[in-house]
Amino acid sequence: RRKRMPKSKRVKKVTLSKVKKKEPSEKRSGYVEGLRECVEKKNSVYLISVGSGTRNRQFKSLRSALPSNSRLFLGKKTLMQLALGTTVGSELRPNLSKLAVRIEGNMALLVSDEPQQSIKAILESARSTEFATAGFVPETAMTLEKGPLDPVRFPGSMFAQIQKLGLTVQVIDAQLTLLSDFVLAKPGSPLTPEQAKLLKHMDIQLDIFQPSILCAWHHNDGEGNLVFPST
């Protein structure tokens, strides 16, 4: 009878599903601690409005424009508030809770030693426009009115493509003609994929990235003051 060799204790099979990944709680705590550490070292915290359609490219461009003594934090409202503290008893620094309770969605924190006017100028220079994608919520109304369409932008060869986008068209006198008004954008209503494609085809950019200061906390002589930008 053949004897089986004893299994080595060093060699163990581990399925990929059992490999321990970094827990979400660890990532959250790392974010909170990183934000706290930065706030403790800087003189100012700016609450920035960044808008709902902002893309990674725009944030990357803004970060590159910031001086070395500044850092931009994006993240969930709850994590930002946890880091700063929303009550007098939990606030990280004096009066910082007054800023923390104002944090809502589509906002960011900019921690810096730069004066407010300098930060304002940097944010204004970072403004840009993009083609809106499906799901973007426009603030203005736009309608493509019925009648002959621009033959340069809508040549007859696009007949089938335009119909697929929801437009009711007909060829009249060798030119595409829209038979009824088509809503390109409605305030408060997310864009459909068809609307987004038409707006891009018409070279209309609705997605505006215009970060601005909502309020700022400044550390002065051991105290913290909340300041609102003058309009």
Side-chain angles (χ1 to χ4, degrees):
R1 188 176 180 180
R2 297 178 62 184
K3 293 183 179 181
R4 293 184 179 180
M5 294 293 291
K7 291 183 178 180
S8 172
K9 293 183 179 180
R10 295 183 181 179
V11 181
K12 291 184 179 181
K13 290 184 179 180
V14 180
T15 58
L16 291 176
S17 60
K18 292 183 180 180
V19 175
K20 187 177 180 180
K21 296 181 180 179
K22 193 171 185 179
E23 295 294 333
S25 59
E26 294 179 21
K27 293 181 180 179
R28 288 194 291 266
S29 61
Y31 173 88
V32 170
E33 289 305 314
L35 176 52
R36 284 176 176 169
E37 183 180 349
C38 190
V39 169
E40 287 176 335
K41 295 178 180 179
K42 302 298 180 181
N43 291 322
S44 300
V45 179
Y46 299 92
L47 182 59
I48 308 297
S49 172
V50 293
S52 60
T54 309
R55 304 176 188 179
N56 289 333
R57 186 188 65 77
Q58 293 166 322
F59 283 130
K60 186 176 180 180
S61 177
L62 175 56
R63 279 196 171 102
S64 64
L66 293 173
S68 59
N69 64 355
S70 305
R71 186 173 173 187
L72 183 68
F73 287 87
L74 306 169
K76 291 184 178 180
K77 162 187 173 180
T78 52
L79 294 183
M80 292 182 186
Q81 291 182 327
L82 178 62
L84 302 185
T86 55
T87 64
V88 174
S90 65
E91 63 187 13
L92 186 63
R93 300 181 71 178
N95 293 319
L96 192 54
S97 60
K98 294 179 180 180
L99 181 145
V101 296
R102 288 175 166 79
I103 300 174
E104 296 294 344
N106 303 320
M107 295 183 186
L109 293 175
L110 202 166
V111 188
S112 177
D113 282 330
E114 289 291 313
Q116 189 159 320
Q117 281 301 115
S118 175
I119 293 298
K120 181 181 177 182
I122 292 171
L123 295 180
E124 288 177 348
S125 66
R127 292 182 180 182
S128 62
T129 57
E130 298 275 352
F131 289 112
T133 56
F136 174 81
V137 181
E139 297 180 356
T140 57
M142 295 196 69
T143 301
L144 186 60
E145 296 181 351
K146 67 178 181 180
L149 296 175
D150 180 1
V152 176
R153 204 172 292 279
F154 297 98
S157 58
M158 288 188 65
F159 181 83
Q161 183 180 346
I162 291 174
Q163 280 191 320
K164 288 181 180 179
L165 293 176
L167 276 69
T168 305
V169 292
Q170 186 176 340
V171 179
I172 300 177
D173 295 330
Q175 186 176 1
L176 290 181
T177 302
L178 187 63
L179 301 182
S180 59
D181 291 350
F182 184 86
V183 177
L184 290 168
K186 183 179 180 182
S189 297
L191 293 181
T192 66
E194 293 76 18
Q195 288 173 320
K197 288 179 181 178
L198 276 168
L199 288 167
K200 185 174 182 180
H201 181 72
M202 296 174 68
D203 200 28
I204 298 174
Q205 297 181 327
L206 295 182
D207 188 352
I208 303 174
F209 178 54
Q210 46 185 3
S212 60
I213 299 173
L214 297 173
C215 63
W217 174 91
H218 300 296
H219 182 258
N220 296 306
D221 299 325
E223 294 296 326
N225 300 314
L226 193 66
V227 178
F228 295 89
S230 57
T231 55

